[in-house]
Amino acid sequence: MLIINLFKVSKNLNKKTNYGIAAFSIVLILGGLIIELIVAGLFVGFYNSNTNQGDVFGTQALWYAQSGIDDAILRIVQNKDFTTAGCLNFVLDGRTIYIDVTNIGGTNKKQIRSKVTIGTYTRRVESIVSVNPISGKIDFLNNLETSASLSCG
């Protein structure tokens, strides 16, 4: 009788142990899923932050390139015959801006090209202006972002 009772006790112990093993497996599986979700969330956050940084660099480069156009316009206002032999560069907030001013279609029309690189983002802006030789009035004929190459910088 004692042997039968011991057998029943050991059988009951095995059932409790099996429940513990099943619970441990479920905890491991759920823990793995939670860790996987956390890693995926971190990856998405990192990817979005890099994308936003790229957008900021691209926007800044465009702004600086437009500043180059503005600087060239001021130089033309001061000297109606202003052109650059090659490229002119200047530094604004630690960014180097390259500008090129050439005469096109006579002396009254000028092509202004500006280029800035920030990180891996390069922006080029081109503007064509008409200068009145008597009054010095400047009319914008065209102002756009372009992919045309600039020989300097």
Side-chain angles (χ1 to χ4, degrees):
M1 188 71 142
L2 182 60
I3 295 175
I4 294 174
N5 286 339
L6 286 175
F7 180 71
K8 287 181 181 178
V9 169
S10 67
K11 191 175 181 183
N12 288 338
L13 286 176
N14 285 340
K15 280 186 181 179
K16 289 180 184 178
T17 305
N18 287 341
Y19 290 132
I21 290 173
F24 182 68
S25 299
I26 290 173
V27 167
L28 283 178
I29 291 171
L30 290 177
L33 288 174
I34 290 170
I35 289 174
E36 184 178 344
L37 289 174
I38 290 171
V39 169
L42 290 174
F43 177 75
V44 167
F46 176 75
Y47 180 74
N48 283 340
S49 69
N50 281 345
T51 301
N52 292 340
Q53 185 180 19
D55 290 343
V56 168
F57 284 166
T59 303
Q60 283 180 351
L62 185 60
W63 183 83
Y64 283 113
Q66 187 60 46
S67 296
I69 298 289
D70 295 342
D71 181 74
I73 294 293
L74 288 175
R75 291 172 192 255
I76 293 171
V77 166
Q78 294 170 356
N79 177 8
K80 293 179 208 98
D81 297 324
F82 175 76
T83 58
T84 58
C87 281
L88 174 70
N89 64 335
F90 64 95
V91 177
L92 177 64
D93 294 335
R95 311 289 188 201
T96 303
I97 302 170
Y98 300 95
I99 59 173
D100 181 30
V101 180
T102 56
N103 288 326
I104 58 169
T107 57
N108 294 343
K109 284 187 181 177
K110 296 186 183 293
Q111 178 185 34
I112 306 167
R113 293 183 298 168
S114 176
K115 173 185 161 187
V116 176
T117 300
I118 299 177
T120 60
Y121 294 87
T122 299
R123 294 292 186 257
R124 296 172 188 90
V125 177
E126 179 180 307
S127 184
I128 298 175
V129 296
S130 174
V131 181
N132 186 325
I134 298 169
S135 67
K137 179 183 175 190
I138 297 177
D139 293 320
F140 282 92
L141 303 177
N142 190 5
N143 189 23
L144 55 97
E145 185 177 2
T146 181
S147 62
S149 178
L150 195 59
S151 61
C152 56

